[in-house]
Every structure is written in structure tokens, then in C-alpha cells.
Amino acid sequence: MDEYLKIQHYGSYRHQLELVGPKVVRTDSDQKCLQQLYFAMNNPIVYRWTSKLLDSSGSFLSPGLMSGTYISFGDFEACLSVSGNFIDNHNKVNKVMGKHCFITVRLPSNASRHIDYRVHSNQNNRSWINTLADQWIEFDVRFPIAHSICLPSVCQGDFIRDIILEAFKPLNSLSINVDYCQTKENANQQTIVWSRSLIIACIVLSIVTLFAICGTFVDLYYDSTKRTNQQILLASFSLITNVRQLFNIERSSKYQWIDGIRSFLTMLVLFSHVSINHSVQQLSHLPPFAHYPDDYVRQSGTHLNRIIVNSTVAVKSYFMLSGFLLAANFGHKRLHSFVRHLLTRWLRFTPSLIGYVSITIGLASFGYGPLFHSKLIEPYVRPCIDHLWMQLLYINNWYDFHYSCGFQTWYISADFQLYLFAYPVLFLISRKKWFLSYFFSTLMIIISYLISLAIFVSGIHGIPFFISVVYPQLPIAFRGYLLYWTATYNHLEAYFLGIIIGIVVSKQIKIKLSESFIRFSWNGAFVLLLLLPETFPWFLKSEHDQNLLDLINSQSWFDAIMITTNHATWLLLFAWIFYLASIYSSTLESNYALRFLCSPVFAPLARLCFCVYLVHVPLTWFNVHSSRYPQMRDEFGVSQFTILTSVNSLMAAAFLHLLFEAPFNKFFNHLFAFYDRKLKNASEKKLAFNEIKVLTNSQI
């Protein structure tokens, strides 16, 4: 019946096409397109290619339009497989090929102010139209309505748009475009710059793979005790050794519980980002979701998803963990120069980042589907090409995330800068200036809060709520996102609180606590960590109507204090857990939670955490854009997508770790060891020469 109605619609459209088509014809290709459309509408089921053309187009009134399914994909593969012959008015045979496009419909800017789409009627049975109009205005902030259409390949988008606007005059007040067209020959066709970047990415991956093969060969056939320096460096890329080390569950007895915490934090960030399709909501030009945003809002109110809504605290915890490990493991190590300090960190991140960029470009180039048009993929990939210098200098966190090669890379830049800011503390620790090290760290924490307070009090920007999962239809608080989150000063408090705890642990400073209090406070801190997300955001169950724009730029002192208190409480609880687990591990050795966190099964996942954090974002948008149907946002659909993408992320992370992170870390460690050994030998030779010189002079 549905296909019959489609055929009837095509027949009724033919009259409109005959009336308005000649009015908008401007080129020969327009004339050819018009003739082929005439032919298809006159013969909808006579020829195979005309039937496919009709069948492959999506329905403009797609199922679920009133509940938020604003896109119709049609049948992408069937449309691109359309192939047939057409005899024009001059009895010339023309080849007809299918072209898959999207007709997008958007409201004009400030539609709610200048154009009234609501129905003014006192009849109660017409009120649903007003509700639908309000929903459309709200949705239009993020996405257009998109309807797929299968056209003859000769047709141009502008010509089809002109036909629509000429045939349906009321639509002239809307913004209508026919875009994102793909044919069998040019599906996912990239620009020249994009193609060159793909070549470079393939070369990078090929070179690293060659190193891995050669390193494995050296590892197999050369005795490890008799290798030259060059062979030692090449053996760093051995797949055999790196795989063995990845899955090795033997670890140092020091801070084993950190592997468990790191793994849980990583999985929390992974599940939260993947389940809410982070980056897709912000960067996609078309709405790939079904029932949007109703399913998002409904699921965000459940108690289990409160943890996902508050996944920002996991990032704060990671900063504190980095600061803790830096100070706790510094111990009696020799402090190198600031240049060496900077270079070490840069070389730690950069190989994995380059591998991540190569994978991202590869995913964008080899994807296929109705949402894999180059214009739809470019927002994810172009920053990796045009603004790669920002990523390599680790300053992209000070820019809008549209400049970042993956929104998640802001964290790496912030961590890199915090590592540099920590150098004065390490200098003080190396000189055993303990009071000054505490003072400097405390000063950094105070500065972190003072800068945010100054921005809030001066009115530069109000407090934003980072809860796009709760209200995805809201515009993104781009400026607030930078000022209150990605800018490095926002995380000084977490990083330097971790450093303070690390110093205390490294000095083994103990507080006189009873064993019962240690166990009680440990368990209590864990319980509070689980309960804390339930208190924020507090307005989800509020009876009063929340002003949604306040969630982007809130000037409320109550909101500012509550958000700050929420994050500070979380960090203090984590700091207390770190302290107890490090200092009183013998007292807590029977605690089930600590024993679970110390389990050796977390060791492989903990080694993959950095790579998982990098690759999960491109795999999220890759899987979304590979879809042929609107993504279901019900519990089953979200769970299915989250599990699939998480498994893909773990596999891709293992690939990135084995080819980039692990081998290059060992490679540069060997280089630094060779350099230090060379300096030491040169120093010893110089010292011996001076002793001989002194001895000779004394004999003379």
C-alpha cells in the first residue's frame, strides 16, 4: 500500500513538474534532468531503473516524525545501483545512473520571533499542532529535517530545490536545500587536501608496520645480551615482546590499586561518551537519531544514568591521578633540565597522537553510506589536517573544540601543560623544600578557583552545565565550555591536589588513626562517591520549570556554589581514598573493594587506557555515520551500540598501543639511556684525565 501511495504521489507530482519545471530550467543538464524525471514519473513500474528510483527515495513524512525522527535515509545501496537507458526527445540514448541526496528543511533564523508556525485556535483538538511546532523550533537549533531522495545523476541539487520552491510557494519562507549527493562513482569523494593527507597517513602506518616486522625479526633471531644499540632500538618495535608485556599481569607491588581505578575511570568515560554519541551531536549536520531528543531526556532521568551525566568528575579524577603519580614516583630521581622535562612529556604523547590522527583519516576515507558524504565527515577530520599544529603543540584546549582533532584531545593538551606547571614543585622536592612544595601546590589550587570566580563575578560568562545528554536540543555553550572546562586553569586544583597527596605518600606521613576508623572512612568514601552523582543536576526532579538558557549561561550563585562543591567533594573523597590505600594498605588488605581494585586482570586494560581514550571518539562517529537507519535511542539500542563501539575501541586501542605507544616509549627511553650513559662516560673520562694531569704536575 505504501508503495502504491508513492506511485500515486509521483503521478500527481508530474502535473506540478510540467507547470514549474520549464520555468526554472537554466542549463542543458537541467533540461536533461527534467526529461528523465518526466519519464520516471510517467513510467514508475514499467522499467527496472524507474522502479528503483521511486523505491529508493525516503518518505518525507517518515515514521516517527511527530516523536522526533526527523530523518529518512531511503535505500542508499539501491539508489546507487540504479542503472538504465533513457531515450530523449532527439531519440538519443542516454545512460541513467542513480544519485542519493538529502532534501534538508530548516526554519529561518529567529523563526520563533519572526514567523508564527503555531495554529491559533481555541479548539483543544488543534493544540497538538502547537506542541509539534514548538518541538520543531526547539529541534531546529541543532538539526534540519532531512529527507532522502533518489535522482538521476544528471540532476543538480539547485535545480531540484528551485522546482520544490516554485511548486510549493508556502515553503519559500523556509530554508530548503538539496545537498550531500552521492553517486556510485563519487561516494565519499574527498578533496585534494584530504586525499594527500590519506596518502601521508598510509605512509605513516606502513613505516610503523615495517618497523614492527623488522623489530620482531631482531627479537626472534638476535640474542638480547649481544645486541648493538641499533638492534636494541629496533627491537623496541617487536610485536612479540610488546604483546607479551601488554598481557603480562605481573606488576610492581607499589600502588597496584591504581590499575583498577584507572580502568574504571576509563570505562566510565568510554561508556558515557559512546552512549550519548558525543561529538556527533555537536558536529553532525544531519540528525542520525530516532525520537530525538525525547529518548535522551527520558534516559537521563534514571538513577543509573546520573553517573554518565556526571562523567566530568572522571576527567577531574584523571588529572588528580596524574599529579599523584608524578609526585609519588618522583622520589629520589634526578631532576633533569626543564627542556628535558618538556621533551620527555612531548615524546610520550606525540607518537600515539600521530597514530590516532592517521587512524582518524583512514576511517573517514574508507567509510561508506548515506551519511559518509565528505561535507558530513569534514567536521571530524578537517581539524586533524588544517590545525594539526595545534594538536602537536598541545594548545588546542585554548581554542573552540571545532579546531580540535577530536574533542577529547583537549585533555591531553591540558595534561601536558599541567605537567610543565609541575616542574617548580619537582624542583622543590628535589631540594627537599617540603614546605615550599606544599605552599606552591596550594597556591595553584587557590589560583584555579580565583580565575573561575573572576570570570563569573565580572560577568564575562555565567556557569554552564555540561549536560548536553540531558538537554541535547540546546545550543552548545562554546565559550563557557572553554572558559570553565578545557582551559588549563580549571584543572589546577585536581592536578596539584594529587601532587600534595603524592608528596605525603612518598614521605610516608601517617596520621594516628584507629583501624576501625580507617576501614569505616574507606568504605564511607566509596559509598559517598556512588551517591554524589545523584545530587547533581538537582533540577532534573524539580517541580518548577527550569529556564533552559540558564543551563548555558547561569548567573546564579547557587548554581556556581553547587557545581564547585560537587567537584571539590568528589576530589577530596578520591584524595582520601588514595591516601588510605597507599599508607594503610596493610590495614585494608582484607577489604574486598581494595582487593578487587588490585586484581591483576586490570593490568592490561590499564595499559590501554590512554589509547582507548583517544580512539573511542572517531569510532563513535564512524559507527553512527555508517548506519543505514536512524539510530534507536531506547535502552536496547543504546546498549547494543555502546557495547559494539566499546569492543571496537578496545581492539583499535590495542592496535595503537602495539604499533605506536609501547614501541616508541621504549625507543625514546633507550635513546635517553644511551645519551645519559654517553654523558656519564664522558664525565668519567674527563675526571680521569684531570686526575692524571694533577698527578703529572705533582711529579714534575
Side-chain angles (χ1 to χ4, degrees), residues 56 87 92 148 251 277 311 398 407 619:
S56 301
I87 301 176
K92 184 178 178 181
S148 70
R251 302 163 295 166
N277 302 125
S311 60
W398 292 96
F407 77 95
L619 286 170

Side-chain angles (χ1 to χ4, degrees), residues 112-149:
S112 59
R113 296 182 183 179
H114 300 294
I115 299 178
D116 193 358
Y117 292 94
R118 298 169 61 87
V119 176
H120 298 284
S121 174
N122 294 326
Q123 300 178 17
N124 292 331
N125 61 350
R126 303 293 297 278
S127 62
W128 67 271
I129 300 180
N130 295 338
T131 303
L132 184 62
D134 291 339
Q135 181 179 335
W136 184 17
I137 292 173
E138 192 176 75
F139 171 85
D140 191 73
V141 173
R142 283 290 183 92
F143 297 117
I145 293 177
H147 159 65
S148 70
I149 184 171

Side-chain angles (χ1 to χ4, degrees), residues 422-442:
Y423 188 80
V425 179
L426 299 182
F427 175 81
L428 294 172
I429 294 175
S430 66
R431 297 294 189 274
K432 300 188 183 305
K433 306 291 185 180
W434 306 113
F435 175 78
L436 290 178
S437 65
Y438 290 134
F439 176 79
F440 183 85
S441 300
T442 304

Side-chain angles (χ1 to χ4, degrees), residues 620-641:
T620 298
W621 61 252
F622 178 84
N623 287 339
V624 171
H625 281 261
S626 298
S627 177
R628 300 299 190 270
Y629 306 97
Q631 187 188 54
M632 297 301 298
R633 297 297 311 171
D634 60 356
E635 283 71 10
F636 177 77
V638 172
S639 301
Q640 184 182 43
F641 180 82

Side-chain angles (χ1 to χ4, degrees), residues 565-586:
T565 303
N566 179 274
H567 286 168
T569 304
W570 180 278
L571 290 176
L572 290 174
L573 290 173
F574 244 93
W576 184 246
I577 287 175
F578 281 21
Y579 175 74
L580 293 180
S582 303
I583 300 296
Y584 301 100
S585 56
S586 58

Side-chain angles (χ1 to χ4, degrees), residues 383-669:
C384 302
I385 302 170
D386 296 341
H387 306 294
L388 182 60
W389 64 274
M390 289 186 186
Q391 329 298 321
L392 295 178
L393 292 178
Y394 298 104
I395 58 173
N396 61 296
N397 64 310
W398 292 96
Y399 293 83
D400 189 290
F401 69 77
H402 288 90
Y403 293 90
S404 295
C405 179
F407 77 95
Q408 82 283 14
T409 56
W410 74 267
Y411 168 84
I412 305 173
S413 297
D415 185 85
F416 178 82
Q417 296 162 32
L418 290 169
Y419 187 82
L420 301 186
F421 290 155
Y423 188 80
V425 179
L426 299 182
F427 175 81
L428 294 172
I429 294 175
S430 66
R431 297 294 189 274
K432 300 188 183 305
K433 306 291 185 180
W434 306 113
F435 175 78
L436 290 178
S437 65
Y438 290 134
F439 176 79
F440 183 85
S441 300
T442 304
L443 181 63
M444 290 294 101
I445 295 174
I446 295 173
I447 289 175
S448 176
Y449 288 111
L450 287 180
I451 294 176
S452 297
L453 180 63
I455 294 173
F456 179 77
V457 173
S458 63
I460 296 176
H461 200 285
I463 296 292
F465 290 77
F466 307 113
I467 49 171
S468 58
V469 60
V470 181
Y471 297 106
Q473 71 275 26
L474 283 176
I476 299 298
F478 294 120
R479 195 175 179 209
Y481 188 75
L482 167 62
L483 294 175
Y484 287 99
W485 188 245
T486 63
T488 308
Y489 57 77
N490 290 298
H491 306 287
L492 289 171
E493 98 279 31
Y495 200 86
F496 282 91
L497 178 60
I499 287 178
I500 291 175
I501 300 301
I503 296 173
V504 170
V505 168
S506 66
K507 293 184 64 180
Q508 289 293 302
I509 298 177
K510 290 188 176 183
I511 306 174
K512 292 183 178 180
L513 301 173
S514 65
E515 292 188 1
S516 59
F517 179 81
I518 293 172
R519 295 190 181 95
F520 174 78
S521 60
W522 166 273
N523 294 326
F526 261 102
V527 172
L528 289 176
L529 284 176
L530 295 176
L531 294 178
L532 194 60
E534 296 298 321
T535 66
F536 176 83
W538 51 87
F539 50 77
L540 283 180
K541 292 186 177 181
S542 150
E543 295 297 331
H544 66 278
D545 292 331
Q546 177 75 21
N547 185 352
L548 295 184
L549 292 180
D550 284 346
L551 302 182
I552 300 175
N553 188 2
S554 175
Q555 300 294 334
S556 166
W557 276 97
F558 176 77
D559 289 346
I561 293 173
M562 287 300 294
I563 292 177
T564 304
T565 303
N566 179 274
H567 286 168
T569 304
W570 180 278
L571 290 176
L572 290 174
L573 290 173
F574 244 93
W576 184 246
I577 287 175
F578 281 21
Y579 175 74
L580 293 180
S582 303
I583 300 296
Y584 301 100
S585 56
S586 58
T587 304
L588 295 170
E589 61 182 358
S590 61
N591 185 275
Y592 289 111
L594 183 61
R595 290 172 62 183
F596 180 68
L597 292 175
C598 293
S599 174
V601 299
F602 291 117
L605 180 57
R607 297 184 184 108
L608 291 177
C609 284
F610 180 63
C611 292
V612 168
Y613 181 79
L614 279 177
V615 301
H616 77 279
V617 172
L619 286 170
T620 298
W621 61 252
F622 178 84
N623 287 339
V624 171
H625 281 261
S626 298
S627 177
R628 300 299 190 270
Y629 306 97
Q631 187 188 54
M632 297 301 298
R633 297 297 311 171
D634 60 356
E635 283 71 10
F636 177 77
V638 172
S639 301
Q640 184 182 43
F641 180 82
T642 301
I643 293 173
L644 171 65
T645 306
S646 299
V647 171
N648 291 343
S649 298
L650 290 172
M651 295 171 62
F655 171 83
L656 186 62
H657 175 83
L658 294 174
L659 287 186
F660 288 91
E661 183 183 22
F664 278 102
N665 281 346
K666 290 195 290 186
F667 179 86
F668 291 123
N669 286 337

Side-chain angles (χ1 to χ4, degrees), residues 235-295:
S236 301
F237 295 87
S238 171
L239 287 175
I240 295 176
T241 301
N242 289 330
V243 170
R244 187 183 299 121
Q245 291 177 350
L246 172 61
F247 293 102
N248 181 19
I249 61 175
E250 293 182 3
R251 302 163 295 166
S252 170
S253 58
K254 199 175 183 181
Y255 313 135
Q256 290 186 351
W257 47 271
I258 282 184
D259 285 346
I261 290 181
R262 182 187 282 126
S263 299
F264 274 105
L265 291 177
T266 301
M267 297 311 294
L268 173 59
V269 172
L270 175 63
F271 289 157
S272 63
H273 286 174
V274 171
S275 63
I276 66 175
N277 302 125
H278 220 320
S279 79
V280 176
Q281 287 192 66
Q282 291 78 19
L283 298 178
S284 177
H285 295 321
L286 295 180
F289 313 113
H291 304 159
Y292 184 88
D294 293 349
D295 280 349

